[in-house]
Amino acid sequence: DTKLILLGNNWSENYFNDLVEKKGIANRVLFIKQLPDNFVPVVASYARIGIVPTIDDGTLSTYHSLPNKVFDYIMSNLPIIGTDLPEHTNVIENFNNGLILHGNDRQKASQISDAYFEIIKNYDYYKQNALRCSKLLRTDLEYKKMDKIFQNWDFHFGKTRRTLIREYLEEKIKNFVTN
């Protein structure tokens, strides 16, 4: 009874259209082109699990960062299936809010269904951890804390408030990641 929503434009439309037709599952797969960011939580609200199949393209940016969809899934209280990139692993293993795919891209692709069924089998466990994660990694709370701190500052060293907030947030995240 599982249905799949592919959201965005980083996938080969022809390949996936042909694949779902060949497998006879076209009625269970929905393709949605890229949406404005504020609509992603709407789509995520219909999901049970978020999948982040980030491919390591060899860039430092991909290797050391999290895609926005990870935060969308966290804010939507979803268990996550992610790849073995350091930041995916850090969030998912620290909170036990999902599973990590390991190996090369082909191996990871073949592990997605196993990870999906493992999470479904233990859904309450992963969902509770996803809820705990979303309560602790809430950007709205972090921005409120930062606003309070910066409201008391009389000096800005020529930096904008947004820059100061970004620097504070980066420092807080670095501390979280390294501890």
Side-chain angles (χ1 to χ4, degrees):
D1 228 13
T2 299
K3 295 190 177 182
L4 177 66
I5 299 172
L6 291 175
L7 179 61
N9 58 2
N10 289 340
W11 38 269
S12 170
E13 190 172 354
N14 291 336
Y15 171 79
F16 282 106
N17 281 329
D18 292 344
L19 181 63
V20 298
E21 287 297 326
K22 187 174 15 172
K23 299 282 184 183
I25 58 171
N27 62 331
R28 293 174 36 203
V29 179
L30 175 63
F31 297 98
I32 300 175
K33 296 280 186 185
Q34 186 171 359
L35 292 173
D37 291 341
N38 57 329
F39 287 100
V40 174
V42 173
V43 175
S45 72
Y46 289 90
R48 293 196 69 202
I49 298 172
I51 302 173
V52 188
T54 306
I55 295 172
D56 185 358
D57 61 5
T59 64
L60 289 176
S61 176
T62 299
Y63 189 78
H64 289 293
S65 64
L66 285 169
N68 288 338
K69 72 176 77 177
V70 171
F71 297 103
D72 292 328
Y73 296 157
I74 288 170
M75 294 305 109
S76 298
N77 305 315
L78 294 176
I80 300 170
I81 297 173
T83 57
D84 56 356
L85 294 168
E87 296 309 314
H88 293 218
T89 302
N90 185 32
V91 169
I92 294 170
E93 288 186 350
N94 279 330
F95 288 97
N96 293 311
N97 62 329
L99 294 171
I100 298 293
L101 307 173
H102 297 277
N104 64 39
D105 292 340
R106 282 194 189 279
Q107 291 167 326
K108 290 174 187 173
S110 68
Q111 294 170 25
I112 290 175
S113 63
D114 291 339
Y116 171 83
F117 288 114
E118 175 67 22
I119 290 174
I120 292 298
K121 185 172 95 180
N122 299 295
Y123 193 75
D124 290 340
Y125 169 78
Y126 289 107
K127 183 67 172 182
Q128 281 182 335
N129 291 333
L131 288 164
R132 184 173 60 87
C133 179
S134 72
K135 288 177 183 172
L136 295 172
L137 297 182
R138 289 183 46 194
T139 53
D140 60 326
L141 294 178
E142 295 304 317
Y143 282 124
K144 284 180 185 175
K145 289 178 194 173
M146 291 184 293
D147 277 343
K148 199 172 208 176
I149 290 168
F150 293 124
Q151 283 172 359
N152 297 324
W153 285 18
D154 292 332
F155 56 96
H156 291 277
F157 300 108
K159 297 178 183 179
T160 66
R161 186 173 179 180
R162 182 177 292 276
T163 300
L164 291 169
I165 290 172
R166 189 191 77 241
E167 289 172 355
Y168 170 81
L169 187 57
E170 287 174 352
E171 184 64 31
K172 185 168 182 74
I173 290 170
K174 279 183 205 169
N175 288 337
F176 168 75
V177 170
T178 57
N179 293 327

